[in-house]
Amino acid sequence: MASKETKQRGRPRSFDRETALEQAVRSFWEQGYESTSIADLTRAMGISAPSLYAAFGDKRALFDEVVAEYGRHYGGFISRAVAEEPTARRGVERALREAAVEYTIPGRPRGCLVISAALNISPGSAEVAASLREMRRSNIGEIESAVRADIAAGELPADADATALADYVGAVIQGMSQQARDGAERSSLEAIAELALKAWPERPAVRPEAPAAARPAP
């Protein structure tokens, strides 16, 4: 008679998967995709190479999971700001100010993983670079959509360039990330954010309604 108990195949996992994944996030965040080796990962995660492959797959599969984990816990603030604020300017203002905070929090890697992990990637890792680039373009696309909505609603001038504005914000955020990695403090990034907002188009002045023509006396 077969036993009701099913024996687990192989050795039971001897490490906490979430803890190991968090250490992988930090490794890729600090060093980038190309510069982070399997040896770096196993050392940081506290597991052997066979355990890494069994639990996460190869380096690329692990990195994909790392990017998703990063988005859940650290990234995503730009999309949230643009989606939750009533105007594009308010959303961008919030995103820039939050970037100054998020990119300089003590005790964790500086800047943005989605921006910095793609630096110095070889042709053999072109798919990784393309994936990260698409994520960055997605954020810029959300900003552009919000700007177009504001133009349609009269919050921005009709001749405002939605594409250029969104690209400008993306360039500022990417620059803030690199500045943070170079050691810039939160106050410096906040000053950059304030200067960037000065380039935002002013809301069109509301024209007073023309007085109604006087009716002839009966």
Side-chain angles (χ1 to χ4, degrees):
M1 181 176 178
S3 171
K4 293 183 179 179
E5 295 183 359
T6 302
K7 293 184 178 181
Q8 185 178 7
R9 297 179 62 184
R11 294 182 179 180
R13 186 178 295 159
S14 59
F15 65 92
D16 181 78
R17 193 179 190 281
E18 289 303 312
T19 300
L21 180 59
E22 173 62 21
Q23 294 307 312
V25 170
R26 296 180 71 90
S27 292
F28 282 120
W29 195 349
E30 288 173 347
Q31 299 173 219
Y33 179 79
E34 196 75 25
S35 299
T36 303
S37 67
I38 293 295
D40 293 330
L41 291 166
T42 56
R43 183 167 52 251
M45 298 164 77
I47 61 177
S48 66
S51 294
L52 185 153
Y53 289 122
F56 299 100
D58 60 12
K59 177 180 171 180
R60 171 63 193 278
L62 171 58
F63 182 70
D64 288 343
E65 193 166 343
V66 158
V67 171
E69 184 77 357
Y70 174 84
R72 283 191 293 270
H73 296 286
Y74 306 106
F77 64 88
I78 297 173
S79 292
R80 286 193 299 272
V82 173
E84 293 173 0
E85 295 299 326
T87 65
R89 188 195 190 286
R90 289 272 297 275
V92 166
E93 179 180 8
R94 173 177 156 185
L96 291 174
R97 288 178 175 170
E98 289 186 4
V101 175
E102 292 292 331
Y103 293 167
T104 58
I105 290 178
R108 74 186 198 196
R110 288 178 152 240
C112 171
L113 180 149
V114 176
I115 295 171
S116 61
L119 296 177
N120 302 319
I121 282 186
S122 68
S125 302
E127 289 185 1
V128 173
S131 175
L132 294 173
R133 182 167 57 249
E134 182 58 32
M135 293 181 69
R136 296 192 298 272
R137 290 303 309 175
S138 177
N139 279 336
I140 292 173
E142 291 170 359
I143 295 169
E144 181 175 345
S145 294
V147 171
R148 293 191 185 281
D150 276 7
I151 293 171
E155 288 288 335
L156 288 172
D159 61 352
D161 189 330
T163 300
L165 271 174
D167 285 343
Y168 170 72
V169 174
V172 171
I173 289 175
Q174 290 179 36
M176 291 172 69
S177 173
Q178 187 57 51
Q179 288 283 316
R181 291 182 69 82
D182 287 344
E185 298 301 328
R186 172 179 169 178
S187 59
S188 296
L189 299 188
E190 288 175 335
I192 291 171
E194 293 302 320
L195 283 173
L197 289 169
K198 293 183 183 299
W200 199 260
E202 294 291 334
R203 181 178 180 180
V206 178
R207 294 182 179 179
E209 295 183 4
R215 293 184 179 179

